[in-house]
Structure formats: structure tokens, C-alpha cells
């Protein structure tokens, strides 16, 4: 109902009102796209500095079932792999370090610390760049001695999706569906059309959608695989 949207509705209204008031007092702030962007980001920081928790909690209520379901599937995947794999932990740890990028996990894990969609999106971009860079390193290691063309190997969409899923599972970010919904709701069109930010958000959405569609997570999605 309308109640479930009240904080988000308020946030949109306040952002709109403060931005309009700011541009009325300082019309020069709309003189160029970069100035408009800076103003919008400043307003966003100001507004969410006050009401972020209420807005995010409201969104987290909406995605609670999805986030719980994913969490249960992840726990099951880790429990199964623990049963199968009590051999040499040290060996597995180093394999895990190779298969997933610690920088990518750190970027994704820092999403809850970001309190504006601008900040959250920049962390998603960093996450995706780290995953792509990690793929390149792994590809070079697996294909030593290959021709120079192999060094320019590009990551295809299916491989990227699987690697992003592995990193999502490794990072175990609480309320990741809520994080994504917050960005969907509060990102400005100009941000998403710039390319990197829009691509990062769509990739996260697609990966979550894929994980949600599975009855259980296959072993090849385990970060150690």
C-alpha cells in the first residue's frame, strides 16, 4: 500500500524540492551538466544524511523474502562444500584466493557503508572492474605461452555473469536485493546513461535474477571452484 512507500516518497519529494530551491537561488548551478550533476549529488548527500536509514529499512522490508531465500541457498552451498571438502584447508584457501578477487569482494562488501545511490553505484563500478581485471589475470595464468592475441582475450557475458555470481556468494552482502533496489530507485537517468554505472547496475541485477531463479546453487558457483 501507500504506507510502504512513505519514506521513499518523502525522499523523492525532498530531493526535488531542495534541488528546485537551490537552482532558484543559484541559477548558475544549472549552467552546465557537470555543475547540475554536482548540485544533484550534494542535495542527495544532504537528504540521505538525514533519512537514509528510514528509506533503506523500508526498501529492505520489500526485498526481505528474496534476501532471505538467497541467504539460505548460500548457506546450503557452503555447508555442502564443507562436507565434501575437509581435506587440506590451506590448499583450498589459496585456490579460493585465486578464484575470487579480494578487491572485488571488498568493493561489494562496502555497499552498506555508502548512503547515496551515487556512492553505491561507484562501488558497483569498482566491483565490476576488479572482477574483469581478475579474469584477465586468471586467463593469462591459464594460458601462458599463448600467442599475443590471447592476451587481449575479452570476458564474454556468460563468464562475467558466473564470476559476478561467485563474488556475490563469496561476499555474502546482507540485503543485496535491497541495495540494488535502492540504486534503481534513486539513481538519476543521467548517471545510468553514462555507461559504466548503468552497466554495473544491470550486471548486478542480472546476476541476482539468475541466482534467484535457481532452486539451489550448483557447486560450480562456489567461490573455490
Amino acid at each position: 500500500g501507500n504506507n510502504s512507500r512513505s519514506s521513499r516518497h518523502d525522499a523523492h519529494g525532498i530531493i526535488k524540492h531542495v534541488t528546485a530551491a537551490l537552482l532558484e537561488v543559484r541559477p548558475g548551478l544549472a549552467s552546465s551538466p557537470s555543475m547540475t550533476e554536482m548540485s544533484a549529488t550534494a542535495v542527495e548527500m544532504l537528504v540521505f544524511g538525514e533519512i537514509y536509514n528510514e528509506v533503506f529499512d523500508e526498501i529492505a522490508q520489500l526485498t526481505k523474502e528474496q534476501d532471505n531465500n538467497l541467504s539460505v541457498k548460500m548457506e546450503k552451498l557452503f555447508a555442502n562444500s564443507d562436507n565434501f571438502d575437509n581435506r587440506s584447508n590451506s590448499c583450498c584457501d589459496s585456490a579460493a584466493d585465486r578464484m575470487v578477487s579480494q578487491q572485488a569482494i571488498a568493493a561489494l562488501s562496502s555497499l552498506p557503508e555508502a548512503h547515496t545511490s551515487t556512492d553505491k553505484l561507484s562501488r558497483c563500478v569498482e566491483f565490476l572492474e576488479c572482477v574483469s581485471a581478475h579474469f584477465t589475470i586468471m586467463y593469462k595464468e591459464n594460458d601462458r605461452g599463448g600467442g599475443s592475441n590471447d592476451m587481449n582475450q575479452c570476458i564474454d557475458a556468460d563468464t562475467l555473469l558466473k564470476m559476478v555470481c561467485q563474488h556475490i556468494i563469496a561476499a555474502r552482502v546482507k540485503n543485496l536485493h535491497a541495495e540494488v533496489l535502492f540504486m534503481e530507485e534513486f539513481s538519476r537517468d543521467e548517471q545510468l546513461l553514462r555507461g559504466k554505472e548503468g552497466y554495473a547496475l544491470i550486471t548486478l541485477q542480472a546476476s541476482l535474477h539468475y541466482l534467484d531463479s535457481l532452486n539451489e546453487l550448483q557447486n560450480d558457483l562456489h567461490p573455490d571452484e
Side-chain angles (χ1 to χ4, degrees):
N2 287 343
N3 270 356
S4 71
R5 273 198 62 90
S6 59
S7 293
R8 287 176 293 152
H9 191 268
D10 288 349
H12 283 294
I14 296 166
I15 287 170
K16 200 171 175 182
H17 178 77
V18 174
T19 305
L22 191 64
L23 294 178
E24 201 175 315
V25 179
R26 293 271 185 278
L29 291 174
S31 60
S32 72
S34 61
M35 285 298 282
T36 308
E37 178 72 12
M38 275 171 59
S39 310
T41 302
V43 170
E44 188 189 23
M45 286 170 69
L46 185 73
V47 172
F48 284 117
E50 298 296 324
I51 61 169
Y52 173 78
N53 289 336
E54 294 94 308
V55 173
F56 190 82
D57 289 349
E58 190 177 282
I59 289 174
Q61 281 304 310
L62 295 177
T63 63
K64 193 176 179 180
E65 195 179 334
Q66 286 173 300
D67 279 316
N68 285 346
N69 288 345
L70 182 58
S71 185
V72 167
K73 284 192 270 193
M74 286 185 195
E75 293 307 324
K76 207 180 279 186
L77 177 68
F78 282 110
N80 289 345
S81 67
D82 287 345
N83 295 339
F84 284 122
D85 206 81
N86 284 325
R87 299 189 303 272
S88 155
N89 284 336
S90 58
C91 143
C92 294
D93 288 345
S94 60
D97 286 342
R98 282 201 302 277
M99 292 314 294
V100 291
S101 154
Q102 297 307 314
Q103 289 101 317
I105 289 171
L108 194 63
S109 300
S110 73
L111 270 182
E113 298 161 22
H115 287 187
T116 65
S117 57
T118 303
D119 198 2
K120 286 184 191 293
L121 280 172
S122 72
R123 291 171 198 232
C124 289
V125 169
E126 186 189 346
F127 165 67
L128 209 56
E129 285 174 347
C130 290
V131 172
S132 299
H134 193 65
F135 166 80
T136 307
I137 292 163
M138 280 172 53
Y139 186 84
K140 286 178 182 176
E141 281 181 1
N142 291 339
D143 204 64
R144 285 205 173 115
S148 58
N149 287 344
D150 292 340
M151 290 306 183
N152 298 322
Q153 172 76 2
C154 284
I155 188 165
D156 64 89
D158 287 345
T159 307
L160 179 64
L161 187 79
K162 181 181 171 182
M163 285 189 76
V164 168
C165 288
Q166 285 176 324
H167 282 80
I168 287 173
I169 291 165
R172 302 201 215 189
V173 175
K174 197 184 172 203
N175 300 324
L176 189 56
H177 288 84
E179 295 287 353
V180 168
L181 186 56
F182 182 94
M183 288 183 276
E184 279 177 42
E185 174 116 11
F186 289 103
S187 297
R188 298 182 294 281
D189 289 344
E190 313 86 78
Q191 287 176 309
L192 298 180
L193 293 171
R194 270 208 299 266
K196 277 185 180 181
E197 286 89 344
Y199 183 65
L201 183 55
I202 285 168
T203 304
L204 261 187
Q205 286 167 330
S207 302
L208 276 180
H209 184 72
Y210 175 66
L211 291 172
D212 290 341
S213 74
L214 301 171
N215 288 328
E216 58 178 47
L217 305 179
Q218 297 100 334
N219 281 335
D220 69 342
L221 287 173
H222 195 288
D224 291 4
E225 289 300 317

